[in-house]
Amino acid sequence: ESVYINASIESVGDYAFANMPRLNSVDIHNAIIGNHMFDTAPALQTLNIPASVTNIGSYSFANAALTTITFENTLIGDHMFYNNDSLLNVVVTNNINTIRAAAFENCDRIASISLPFIGSIRYADDSTNTDTFGFIFGNEVDTAENFDIIEQNGNTYYIPLTLKSVAITDDTAIKAHGFENVTKVKTVTLPQGHGVDDFTLIGQQAFKGMTLLSTIKLAAEVTNILPQTVTTIGNEAFMNDVALQTITLPRDLTTLGISAFEGATTLNTVNFTGRALQTIATRTFYNDYALENMTYIDADGETVVSAIDTICVPNTIQTIETLAFYNTEAIKNVIIPTSVTSIESSILGGATALE
């Protein structure tokens, strides 16, 4: 069975085409998709949302069997795909400007998702927006055992246990708490920016507590490289990310926050690529037990300064704050450049392997 909706339709009542067990095709040409409009369509597997659609009600395609969704419009409605448990790999294209609450709630088999941004809108459009990754997954599910129950910025969300890979494709920041406590995702791919605006910010606690995160990179890279245009990595941004082993920091980095990598217990190698950072902040690498290699780019912009099993502090650094490398038990050698004019207390306390 199929449904064709003419462009002349201006009003649609709730549940207009709900409970159609043999519906397998929907052809939409109007501007409105109503509340629960196609709720419970267990034979509907593919869907195209055309550019004509500008208004979408709640639960519009709940309880369907969608495996493929194409977005030509700019909006995803709240609870739009509730309980679509055939969704495995979701791609939300960059033309989407708004994603409403719990759009993918109770979708318990999603393995990968590509989103233009985190939360409901792009950071570039509203810097006060505080929605986090869990916002689109909501907190009402049938079987809690299928979900990772997490806290983000004071809210509880249910993330599918199957979700291992996330790509953000078209934004300028990962906001504060963006991926905080998303404990089952292993790979995050970051964008270069949005339009003419560069990607510049990794907010405080943005990736904190991602205990399985081992890969964070740009789409074209295979190793852990952050976007070159990032200027700020906030406090506790990667705190307790115990699976992260290497990281290459941005060229334009000017601020590396307090406890940025604290508790990243398997972090072994940190590569600095910029020439702007002047301070290694308090507890930046605190309890990073495996840390033993640090490299940087010299003043010529090309030469990599490194040594085997050695922390080569970048020669742009002027201040190393309290406890910066505390309990880094694997460190054997440290080279502190003449650029450093201030060393605060206990920067290497507990570094028991120092030679």
Side-chain angles (χ1 to χ4, degrees), residues 23-28 41 43-49 61 64-70 81 84 87:
L23 178 67
N24 59 21
S25 177
V26 175
D27 193 1
I28 300 169
L44 185 63
Q45 296 184 344
T46 62
L47 175 66
N48 179 68
I49 309 293
F61 290 91
L66 291 169
T67 60
T68 304
I69 308 166
T70 303
F81 303 109
N84 273 254
L87 277 176

Side-chain angles (χ1 to χ4, degrees), residues 164-226:
K164 303 300 180 186
S165 178
V166 179
I168 306 301
T169 59
D170 194 42
D171 207 350
T172 60
I174 302 297
K175 293 175 286 189
H177 310 284
F179 283 102
E180 184 180 12
N181 296 327
V182 180
T183 62
K184 305 305 179 186
V185 168
K186 296 181 177 180
T187 300
V188 174
T189 303
L190 297 174
Q192 296 282 9
H194 166 59
V196 297
D197 296 319
D198 291 330
F199 188 97
T200 58
L201 173 66
I202 294 175
Q204 65 178 9
Q205 302 178 351
F207 297 95
K208 180 182 178 180
M210 294 190 72
T211 53
L212 292 185
L213 181 68
S214 59
T215 303
I216 181 166
K217 64 184 185 68
L218 297 169
E221 301 289 345
V222 295
T223 56
N224 291 345
I225 297 177
L226 299 179

